[in-house]
């Protein structure tokens, strides 16, 4: 009953060599063809559910472009931007992936798979990504970290024991209260922190949408990055 679902793919580790990345990409393309064919044969489902194809290619630009072009030509309802974008594998990994979007028709919806870092979300939106999913906001929340306008803070740290600043403007929950819950092992602390982080990301994207309509996305993105990632 999902509104959108994805064809099978093989998401490789970015450390895999070129030969394996190519093999996995070609396997992903074969699976995409089979997934799409099976879905189109299900007339009832095909009429109300969208299927997206996923492009792969690892850290190799030529493979990513080839994969994007191949998936785009198959007739999917949308495009899944696949891959691993961990900073430890190079800060240009996401930018390399976003470059493949030039191979897509302008009208094809793009979903960023696993893109959840706030700065990466804005970079992806700037490149034309429309939808996102990622575990980062809730994973960070479960471990006691929350997003703020001035970066990520870790509420289990001692300095937040007596910090009665609200975790967000208008919130009735203080940093000290959430810190107490987290350090006490109370599940409510992780729940509130997770909900806060999800709201933060939703607000970030809502602001980006307004900025696009106002023709000031670049300014919005620069202001956020300057504040969130300041040293």
């Amino acid at each position: 009953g999902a509104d959108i679902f994805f064809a099978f793919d093989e998401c490789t580790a970015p450390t895999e060599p070129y030969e394996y990345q190519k093999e996995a990409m070609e396997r992903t393309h074969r699976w995409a063809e089979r997934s799409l064919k099976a879905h189109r044969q299900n007339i009832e489902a095909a009429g109300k559910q969208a299927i997206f194809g996923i492009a792969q290619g690892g850290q190799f630009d030529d493979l990513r472009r080839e994969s994007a072009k191949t998936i785009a030509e198959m007739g999917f309802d949308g495009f899944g931007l696949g891959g691993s974008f961990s900073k430890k594998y190079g800060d240009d990994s996401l930018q390399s992936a976003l470059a493949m979007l030039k191979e897509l028709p302008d009208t094809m919806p793009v979903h960023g798979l696993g893109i959840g870092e706030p700065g990466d979300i804005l970079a992806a939106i700037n490149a034309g990504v429309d939808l996102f999913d990622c575990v980062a906001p809730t994973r960070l929340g479960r471990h006691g970290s929350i997003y703020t306008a001035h970066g990520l803070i870790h509420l289990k740290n001692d300095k937040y024991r007596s910090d009665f600043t609200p975790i967000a403007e208008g919130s009735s929950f203080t940093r000290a209260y959430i810190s107490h819950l987290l350090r006490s092992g109370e599940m409510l602390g992780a729940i509130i922190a997770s909900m806060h982080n999800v709201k933060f990301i939703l607000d970030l994207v809502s602001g980006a949408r307004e900025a696009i309509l106002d023709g000031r996305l670049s300014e919005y993105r620069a202001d956020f990055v300057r504040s969130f990632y300041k040293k």
Side-chain angles (χ1 to χ4, degrees), residues 3 7 13 26 44 59 67 77-78 89 94 101 115 134 148 150 164 171 184 186-187 192 205 218 220 227-228:
D3 298 308
E26 292 171 347
E44 182 181 357
Q59 70 274 39
S67 188
D77 300 309
Y89 295 117
L94 177 61
L101 301 183
I115 300 176
C134 191
T148 76
H150 303 293
F164 294 98
S171 174
S184 300
E186 292 283 353
M187 186 182 296
I192 294 174
V205 175
S218 294
Y220 175 81
S227 174
F228 192 84

Side-chain angles (χ1 to χ4, degrees), residues 8 10 20 22-32:
F8 289 128
E10 180 179 356
Y20 188 82
K22 182 176 175 61
E23 177 186 332
M25 178 195 71
E26 292 171 347
R27 182 179 301 111
T28 291
H29 294 169
R30 293 194 298 273
W31 286 348

Side-chain angles (χ1 to χ4, degrees), residues 65-83:
R65 288 193 300 270
E66 178 185 347
S67 188
K69 189 172 186 298
T70 300
I71 294 296
E73 292 175 348
M74 286 185 185
F76 283 99
D77 300 309
F79 181 85
L81 186 68

Side-chain angles (χ1 to χ4, degrees), residues 134-146 156 178 181-183 185-197:
C134 191
V135 302
T138 50
R139 182 175 59 199
L140 289 169
R142 289 197 306 273
H143 289 87
S145 299
I146 65 169
K156 288 184 179 180
I178 307 304
L181 292 175
L182 292 164
R183 287 183 288 101
E186 292 283 353
M187 186 182 296
L188 181 59
I191 292 173
I192 294 174
S194 296
M195 293 176 67
H196 165 85
N197 286 346

Side-chain angles (χ1 to χ4, degrees), residues 17-63:
Y18 185 91
E19 292 73 17
Y20 188 82
Q21 297 287 8
K22 182 176 175 61
E23 177 186 332
M25 178 195 71
E26 292 171 347
R27 182 179 301 111
T28 291
H29 294 169
R30 293 194 298 273
W31 286 348
E33 290 176 342
R34 293 169 62 186
S35 296
L36 183 60
K37 181 180 179 181
H39 180 57
R40 296 299 186 226
Q41 289 175 342
N42 187 336
I43 304 301
E44 182 181 357
K48 60 184 179 182
Q49 292 180 291
I51 182 170
F52 283 28
I54 302 176
Q56 290 293 350
Q59 70 274 39
F60 300 101
D61 292 346
D62 61 326
L63 294 182

Side-chain angles (χ1 to χ4, degrees), residues 68-172:
K69 189 172 186 298
T70 300
I71 294 296
E73 292 175 348
M74 286 185 185
F76 283 99
D77 300 309
F79 181 85
L81 186 68
S84 177
F85 309 121
S86 174
K87 288 291 188 289
K88 67 181 179 180
Y89 295 117
D91 291 338
D92 63 343
S93 58
L94 177 61
Q95 292 301 326
S96 174
L98 292 174
M100 76 165 75
L101 301 183
K102 296 177 182 178
E103 304 293 335
L104 306 181
D106 292 337
T107 55
M108 177 172 275
V110 178
H111 183 105
L113 293 152
I115 300 176
E117 174 68 22
D120 290 348
I121 289 175
L122 292 181
I125 290 174
N126 189 62
V129 179
D130 306 290
L131 308 165
F132 298 89
D133 76 88
C134 191
V135 302
T138 50
R139 182 175 59 199
L140 289 169
R142 289 197 306 273
H143 289 87
S145 299
I146 65 169
Y147 298 124
T148 76
H150 303 293
L152 195 67
I153 64 172
H154 310 289
L155 292 178
K156 288 184 179 180
N157 290 351
D158 283 346
K159 66 179 181 179
Y160 296 112
R161 288 175 180 264
S162 57
D163 185 343
F164 294 98
T165 305
I167 61 172
E169 185 177 349
S171 174
S172 58

